[in-house]
């Protein structure tokens, strides 16, 4: 038997008894970061394939969503910071060993790329709004210019989107202190999941039947790859070190994550949409066409939610603690006010 | 890094009194409820063959500190070419990456200010040539502090002559707090 208990006070907020430093703010940020990566990727792809006439939403209108979605994500990321006034410190340095530092700079690169994508597709995508835009001096010149270089913009956008998508996973996998996160598979998994949510997003909002069918097909492929990556992740844990085996227990018998992982993520977020989208493709059912993508989006969020939370529960050490804040507060009260 | 400071703690003489914890709070004025060091009672075996050891724990001032490598702003850094890991409050965003990065959970959030705090090996005392507060307050004198690379130092001598361990060296962090067993 090994029993290790703390015998002096240690109850540092958000750290003891189990780590809880990151909550929904980070899950939402990682989810929206992945979605943005997917959006930018598909916009670039459609423009490279010159599908502006056939696939109006993804080629011409989708680009506008990227900075909106990303900004919401960056807002929740900001909300998570404990020392908010010093947020500018991300941009006074580049720390080569820190994925978060790289990520902060990738986000900065993503914005101009995304704005250029919007400008280059604005006239076709949003004719009414673009009428207003062109009243602003220089704006129409800028639009002309970005339209001319749309291919270049797209070629830059694709690797940037992939970098953003992978970064949302590498951000977590870089922590060797948290065994559940510490696998290189998180990068590709979050990238593919992000692209899948973007495809689902497009299916939800595209008006053209053909476009919805194309993106449903894309999504089916991506869900397939995602299932393979999830299985690989589980194999990786199952054949890993003691700490990783313990992490796996959280997903199977021992932990509170089994239902969320297998039920809400794997079944409802991957398997069911796989069937629903497939049936929709064959039978063309409008209800299914909405249900499938919605489940994909929910599943995408669940993946981040489970990963962020479970990762913090897996650790190299877990001390039992005899120290209780409540007990201390009671003693304090008695000391100050007497027994009643 | 050219100077490696180490702490060597004798688990055979430690009685788990917690004076080191009190000394740290007094010296560094850490706010109520926050602790930079703590004492663990570890019991191994099965009755009647049990063995208990007390360990006073804190940041290990790792030679390969993941909290420093993963900090996105450079706020977590090595102090003056030593292995003493410090946080610069006016560079810290409170992103908490360093907390997630520390396998020993040795860091804490300075609420309500929000920057990250940790054991400093009392570098302000070390600078004057004193031992850290915890070391100098230990009533059983089971804690020792000094330069690891100096063969004549007390810590080097102890590690040469006694059995010792460090915590979770398998993390690859190269911790610099040693426990004599
Ligand atoms: S013990 Fe933790 S906080 Fe201290 S140097 Fe090592 S990784 Fe950093
Ligand atoms: S919380 Fe502060 S010290 Fe820690 S990683 Fe973030 S910026 Fe660095």
């Amino acid at each position: 038997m090994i029993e290790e208990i703390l015998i002096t006070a240690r109850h540092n907020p958000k750290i003891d008894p189990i780590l809880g430093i990151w909550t929904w703010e980070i899950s939402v940020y990682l989810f929206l970061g992945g979605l943005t990566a997917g959006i930018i990727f598909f916009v670039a792809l459609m423009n490279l394939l010159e599908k502006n006439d056939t696939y109006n939403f993804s080629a011409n209108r989708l680009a506008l969503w990227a900075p909106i979605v990303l900004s919401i994500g960056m807002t929740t990321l900001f909300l998570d910071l404990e020392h908010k006034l010093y947020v500018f410190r991300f941009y006074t340095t580049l720390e080569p060993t820190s994925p978060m530092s790289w990520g902060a700079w990738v986000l900065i690169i993503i914005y101009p790329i995304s704005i250029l994508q919007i400008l280059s597709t604005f006239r076709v995508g949003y004719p009414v709004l673009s009428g207003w835009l062109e009243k602003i001096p220089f704006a129409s010149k800028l639009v002309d210019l970005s339209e001319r270089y749309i291919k270049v913009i797209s070629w830059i956008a694709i690797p940037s989107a992939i970098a953003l998508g992978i970064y949302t996973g590498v951000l977590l996998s870089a922590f060797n202190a948290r065994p559940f996160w510490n696998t290189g598979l998180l990068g590709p998994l979050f990238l593919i999941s992000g692209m899948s949510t973007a495809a689902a997003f497009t299916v939800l909002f595209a008006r053209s039947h053909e476009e919805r069918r194309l993106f449903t097909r894309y999504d089916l492929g991506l869900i397939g790859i995602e299932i393979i990556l999830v299985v690989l992740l589980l194999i990786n844990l199952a054949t890993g070190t003691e700490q990783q085996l313990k992490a796996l227990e959280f997903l199977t018998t021992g932990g509170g994550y089994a239902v969320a992982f297998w039920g809400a993520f794997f079944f409802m977020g991957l398997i069911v949409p796989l069937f629903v989208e497939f049936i929709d493709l064959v039978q063309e059912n409008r209800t299914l066409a909405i249900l499938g993508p919605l489940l994909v989006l929910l599943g995408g969020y669940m993946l981040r939610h489970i990963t962020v939370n479970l990762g913090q529960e897996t650790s190299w050490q877990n001390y039992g603690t005899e120290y209780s804040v409540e007990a201390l507060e009671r003693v304090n009260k008695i000391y100050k006010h007497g027994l009643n | 890094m050219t100077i490696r400071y180490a702490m060597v703690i004798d688990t055979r003489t430690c009685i788990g009194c917690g004076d080191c914890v009190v000394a740290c709070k007094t010296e560094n004025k850490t706010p109520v409820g926050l602790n930079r060091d703590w004492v663990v009672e570890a019991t191994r075996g099965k009755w009647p063959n049990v063995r208990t050891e007390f360990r006073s724990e804190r940041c290990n001032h790792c030679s390969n500190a993941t909290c420093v490598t993963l900090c996105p702003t450079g706020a977590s850094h090595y102090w003056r070419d030593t292995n003493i890991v410090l946080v610069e409050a006016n560079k810290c965003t409170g992103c908490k990456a360093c907390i997630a990065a520390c396998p020993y959970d040795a860091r804490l959030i300075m609420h309500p200010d929000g920057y990250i705090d940790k054991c400093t090996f009392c570098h302000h005392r070390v600078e004057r040539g004193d031992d850290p507060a915890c070391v100098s307050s230990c009533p059983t004198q089971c804690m020792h502090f000094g330069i690891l690379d100096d063969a004549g130092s007390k810590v080097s001598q102890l590690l040469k002559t006694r059995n010792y361990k460090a915590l979770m060296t398998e993390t690859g962090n190269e911790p610099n707090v040693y426990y004599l067993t």
Side-chain angles (χ1 to χ4, degrees), chain A residues 21 23 35 38 40 108 118 127 157 174 182 194 230-231 238 265:
Chain A
I21 47 170
T23 48
L35 179 57
I40 291 177
I108 288 295
I118 295 172
N182 196 209
V230 170
V231 171
F265 168 59

Side-chain angles (χ1 to χ4, degrees), chain A residues 22 81-83 86 89-90 98 100 175, chain B residues 66-68 70-77 86-89 91-101 107-109 114-118:
Chain A
W22 287 336
L81 296 181
E82 305 278 341
H83 211 201
Y86 291 79
R89 282 299 189 176
F90 281 114
S98 164
M100 244 193 207
F175 292 100
Chain B
T66 38
C67 58
V68 173
L70 290 175
C71 171
T73 65
S76 286
H77 65 283
L86 299 180
V87 180
E88 213 174 307
K91 276 192 187 171
C92 173
T93 59
C95 72
K96 296 166 283 190
C98 54
I99 297 181
R107 292 175 160 248
L108 47 103
I109 308 167
Y115 62 87
I116 304 303
D117 193 58
K118 63 186 285 298

Side-chain angles (χ1 to χ4, degrees), chain A residues 1 3-8 10 12 15 21-22 80 82-83 86 89 97-98 175-176 178 316-317 319, chain B residues 35 38-39 41 43-45 57 69-70 90 92-97 100 102 104-105 107 111 113 171:
Chain A
M1 181 205 74
E3 187 186 65
E4 301 204 320
I5 53 168
L6 288 162
I7 56 168
T8 61
R10 197 186 113 162
N12 296 333
I15 294 156
I21 47 170
W22 287 336
D80 175 72
E82 305 278 341
H83 211 201
Y86 291 79
R89 282 299 189 176
T97 55
S98 164
F175 292 100
N176 78 336
R178 311 293 151 196
W316 288 75
Q317 62 180 19
Y319 292 136
Chain B
N35 284 84
W38 57 93
V39 180
E41 179 185 317
T43 308
R44 267 149 228 270
E57 295 187 4
T69 45
L70 290 175
N90 67 8
C92 173
T93 59
C95 72
K96 296 166 283 190
C102 172
Y104 304 95
D105 289 343
R107 292 175 160 248
H111 277 302
D113 296 337
T171 57

Side-chain angles (χ1 to χ4, degrees), chain B residues 58-62 65-67 85 101-104 106-107 118 173:
Chain B
R58 63 200 35 61
C59 163
N60 286 277
H61 295 274
C62 308
T66 38
C67 58
V85 172
C102 172
Y104 304 95
R107 292 175 160 248
K118 63 186 285 298
N173 275 35

